[in-house]
Amino acid sequence: MKKNLLITICVCMTNILLAQEWTKDFPKKINLVKMSDVGVAIVGTDDALYGINETGKVLWKNEKLRKVEAERVQIISGSELIFVSDKGLLSRNRVLDVNSGKELANSGKKGDNIIGVRLIHGTNQLWALKGNRHINTWNLNNNTIQYGWGRDQIKSDIAFDKMASLTYTFTGAQPITYTSANSAIIHLSALHLANVDLSTGKDIWRFNWKPFKTKDAKASTLSNGYSSMKIDEDSNTLYFPFKTQLIAIDINTGQPKWDAKKGGKTGKVLSMFVTQEGVLALTPKGLQLVDKSTGNLVWKKPIKIKNAIESILLKDEQDFFAISKGSIIKIDVANKKTKVLTEKIKFSGKESFNSLEIIDDLIVLSSSQNIAAFNKQTGDKIHHTYLKAPGSSILKIAQNITLAAVAVAATANSQNINSNNTSGSTYRYHSYTPAVMKSGGSATKSSGNIMYISTKFKDADAKGFGIAKVNKTTGKIVEKIVIGDRDPLYAINHNKGKFFYKSDKKTLSMKSLK
């Protein structure tokens, strides 16, 4: 299997007439439609799980996976793999290659099941969780176990997030931070932080927690509200958020650089950026600057950020922005001042924003049914677009709750995690926000400069339930896709502009977006 890295290309399309290219009937009812990162649609029905390519060809069919719910299919980012969790105590969870349907990470032993997986792009490995303290590392080039980590090596429970009953994901752990082509700093549990040789699984160093107060420590994961750990390449220092302090660690030795009792007394670090002046850390009390050599607080008082615990800190070149009580503020770090750019932003439909991003000269906030864009220098509102939700159903509300589970209490802003490989780079993009979707009944998706919003059209050129393709920067609808289903099931191959959707109870259709 070749290593596949996902490259997302954002294309602003003009209003093009959609052409339905094909429809495909299945023997039983369609329950889910998802898109893998290599463009193969995953279709679940009452009789099987299928892999369908862009021409409508069935690449594979797995009859052992019947009536699979959407929350039980995890698209493994940046790869040709998916993880499918089955139901029941005696069920078998599977990692499938979406091109062939081949099952991976399977030892063939009876009862040898896995409960979650994590892909290590740099070395083309798949880590399979065998319980809350055991990992098997699979070499994806030949689908064999390369090595295992047992309970004697991992002393406390591995950090993970719940996916479905008896099934978990590694999304709650700190992002893998590469230190070379074959090594990375790994955070597996509350008391496991190590620079690991990925080819052998042996520690280059493991951090010694004895000088620090570890009682009642939670894993410093994004889903627990901590910032991602950050590397300062200039000083070979890892900055790691732990409980109510920040720890500086020498990347080469694993030794702390600051006095454990005096340095880094910041409070819980919700988000941080390494700057020339120091480490800028957002905490529940506000924004603080930390001296990189000593860990002492540079400022006597932090910059106050109202409701900082639910704020998101954004960096755009040398500028910093945050959301405070629903308003966008600009932060002048040099002069320790803040400027309110907007009044409190109110979304329609009783929604709260769940995404914040900078696109060119705009700050864009969005939720299921709302998109608003503001000039990042003046705060002037460019647009606020609201499309009413088509209505709620028990199924779709349940899906929204599942999707929101990762976002709960995760106050780290979007992180661009970059390897330090000398022979090449691996990029993983992780996006977390603190807000939970408060309105059910929507099937909104987002990609680059485009959002696809579930709504009901009442226009002359489009009538009925469907999906609106909306430009985030202008707020204009550039495509109207009528599906006729209040709770649409659809998936998009963004790179090729292919729109897969359930057009009838047992029918899958595909339309081209270009």
Side-chain angles (χ1 to χ4, degrees):
M1 178 184 299
K2 294 181 180 179
K3 178 172 64 177
N4 285 283
L5 300 180
L6 173 65
I7 302 175
T8 303
I9 304 174
C10 303
V11 181
C12 299
M13 298 180 181
T14 56
N15 196 5
I16 303 172
L17 180 65
L18 294 177
Q20 183 167 298
E21 297 187 8
W22 52 257
T23 61
K24 182 169 186 60
D25 294 327
F26 290 84
K28 299 287 185 178
K29 176 186 174 185
I30 296 174
N31 301 311
L32 75 90
V33 183
K34 285 195 172 186
M35 183 58 59
S36 68
D37 280 3
V38 292
V40 175
I42 310 303
V43 180
T45 73
D46 283 352
D47 74 309
L49 191 71
Y50 297 81
I52 309 293
N53 71 7
E54 63 183 78
T55 67
K57 179 182 178 181
V58 176
L59 300 179
W60 51 269
K61 175 183 178 181
N62 192 321
E63 295 180 348
K64 295 178 181 179
L65 296 170
R66 299 185 296 272
K67 297 184 179 180
V68 176
E69 294 118 335
E71 61 266 28
R72 292 182 176 273
V73 177
Q74 177 191 353
I75 303 298
I76 301 178
S77 177
S79 78
E80 64 273 45
L81 306 178
I82 59 171
F83 175 60
V84 185
S85 101
D86 210 348
K87 298 179 183 178
L89 290 170
L90 301 178
S91 64
R92 186 176 190 88
N93 302 326
R94 294 167 172 83
V95 177
L96 302 179
D97 183 316
V98 299
N99 293 308
S100 65
K102 180 181 178 181
E103 185 175 343
L104 304 175
N106 179 2
S107 67
K109 296 179 182 179
K110 188 175 181 180
D112 190 17
N113 202 6
I114 58 180
I115 61 173
V117 294
R118 185 174 189 177
L119 186 63
I120 313 300
H121 286 285
T123 49
N124 204 25
Q125 295 174 335
L126 188 75
W127 290 2
L129 198 61
K130 299 286 296 179
N132 61 352
R133 293 192 185 180
H134 194 105
I135 294 173
N136 275 346
T137 299
W138 290 79
N139 184 329
L140 289 177
N141 295 317
N142 54 24
N143 193 28
T144 59
I145 296 178
Q146 190 170 350
Y147 54 82
W149 289 346
R151 288 178 176 270
D152 58 328
Q153 295 165 297
I154 303 171
K155 303 297 183 182
S156 57
D157 291 350
I158 295 169
F160 46 65
D161 286 322
K162 195 170 185 66
M163 178 181 176
S165 58
L166 304 176
T167 318
Y168 305 87
T169 71
F170 280 124
T171 54
Q174 283 279 350
I176 292 171
T177 303
Y178 290 89
T179 52
S180 76
N182 294 299
S183 63
I185 295 175
I186 307 295
H187 172 53
L188 288 177
S189 65
L191 301 181
H192 179 285
L193 179 66
N195 190 16
V196 177
D197 183 330
L198 297 172
S199 61
T200 64
K202 304 297 183 181
D203 292 341
I204 298 170
W205 54 256
R206 183 174 295 195
F207 189 67
N208 180 11
W209 291 101
K210 286 185 178 179
F212 299 87
K213 294 180 180 180
T214 57
K215 186 178 180 180
D216 301 324
K218 291 183 178 180
S220 300
T221 64
L222 304 186
S223 56
N224 281 336
Y226 292 90
S227 169
S228 67
M229 57 188 179
K230 298 288 180 65
I231 283 182
D232 181 5
E233 296 180 10
D234 293 336
S235 62
N236 287 322
T237 303
L238 174 74
Y239 294 102
F240 188 86
F242 179 71
K243 293 183 70 173
T244 58
Q245 70 181 107
L246 185 63
I247 301 173
I249 302 169
D250 189 304
I251 294 174
N252 298 316
T253 65
Q255 296 298 314
K257 287 190 169 184
W258 301 335
D259 186 293
K261 295 182 179 180
K262 297 180 181 179
K265 298 301 181 182
T266 55
K268 182 177 180 179
V269 179
L270 310 171
S271 184
M272 64 174 157
F273 290 95
V274 180
T275 69
Q276 288 185 345
E277 293 77 17
V279 181
L280 194 64
L282 179 66
T283 74
K285 292 184 178 180
L287 202 59
Q288 185 56 269
L289 189 67
V290 184
D291 187 291
K292 290 192 284 188
S293 60
T294 64
N296 294 334
L297 302 182
V298 177
W299 300 332
K300 291 182 179 180
K301 293 182 179 180
I303 297 177
K304 289 291 184 182
I305 305 291
K306 293 181 180 179
N307 202 27
I309 195 73
E310 292 185 5
S311 294
I312 295 177
L313 184 64
L314 276 181
K315 184 176 186 293
D316 181 49
E317 296 181 350
Q318 300 305 314
D319 294 328
F320 290 88
F321 301 89
I323 289 287
S324 177
K325 286 289 186 180
S327 299
I328 300 174
I329 63 171
K330 186 175 181 179
I331 304 166
D332 183 344
V333 174
N335 296 304
K336 291 184 60 181
K337 294 180 179 179
T338 60
K339 177 183 178 182
V340 179
L341 292 182
T342 69
E343 297 179 350
K344 186 173 182 178
I345 302 164
K346 295 181 180 180
F347 276 0
S348 302
K350 299 181 179 180
E351 286 192 330
S352 298
F353 78 93
N354 54 41
S355 178
L356 176 67
E357 57 191 314
I358 294 177
I359 302 176
D360 297 327
D361 293 328
L362 301 178
I363 297 176
V364 179
L365 289 81
S366 58
S367 61
S368 292
Q369 308 301 135
N370 291 263
I371 310 172
F374 301 84
N375 184 286
K376 68 181 182 182
Q377 300 300 335
T378 65
D380 292 341
K381 183 169 69 175
I382 307 303
H383 75 83
H384 180 182
T385 303
Y386 168 65
L387 297 176
K388 188 177 180 181
S392 302
S393 74
I394 294 176
L395 170 64
K396 195 55 60 177
I397 290 174
Q399 288 179 353
N400 277 347
I401 291 172
T402 301
L403 291 171
V406 175
V408 174
T411 53
N413 60 291
S414 298
Q415 306 294 341
N416 187 13
I417 308 305
N418 172 9
S419 78
N420 299 319
N421 295 354
T422 55
S423 58
S425 294
T426 299
Y427 295 92
R428 298 294 308 282
Y429 195 76
H430 302 261
S431 181
Y432 295 88
T433 59
V436 179
M437 287 188 290
K438 295 181 179 179
S439 62
S442 178
T444 295
K445 292 179 171 62
S446 179
S447 176
N449 198 35
I450 295 295
M451 280 190 71
Y452 296 87
I453 301 180
S454 172
T455 190
K456 184 177 182 180
F457 299 112
K458 299 179 181 179
D459 309 310
D461 60 336
K463 291 185 178 181
F465 298 111
I467 303 296
K469 180 181 175 183
V470 183
N471 185 299
K472 293 180 185 178
T473 59
T474 65
K476 293 182 179 179
I477 297 175
V478 293
E479 302 283 356
K480 297 175 183 177
I481 308 167
V482 177
I483 296 177
D485 193 340
R486 184 184 295 272
D487 291 326
L489 291 180
Y490 70 100
I492 305 164
N493 180 343
H494 294 285
N495 289 336
K496 293 190 176 181
K498 304 298 183 182
F499 187 91
F500 296 74
Y501 67 101
K502 176 183 175 181
S503 58
D504 202 356
K505 185 177 181 180
K506 301 177 184 178
T507 304
L508 181 74
S509 298
M510 195 280 282
K511 292 184 177 182
S512 178
L513 294 176
K514 62 179 181 179

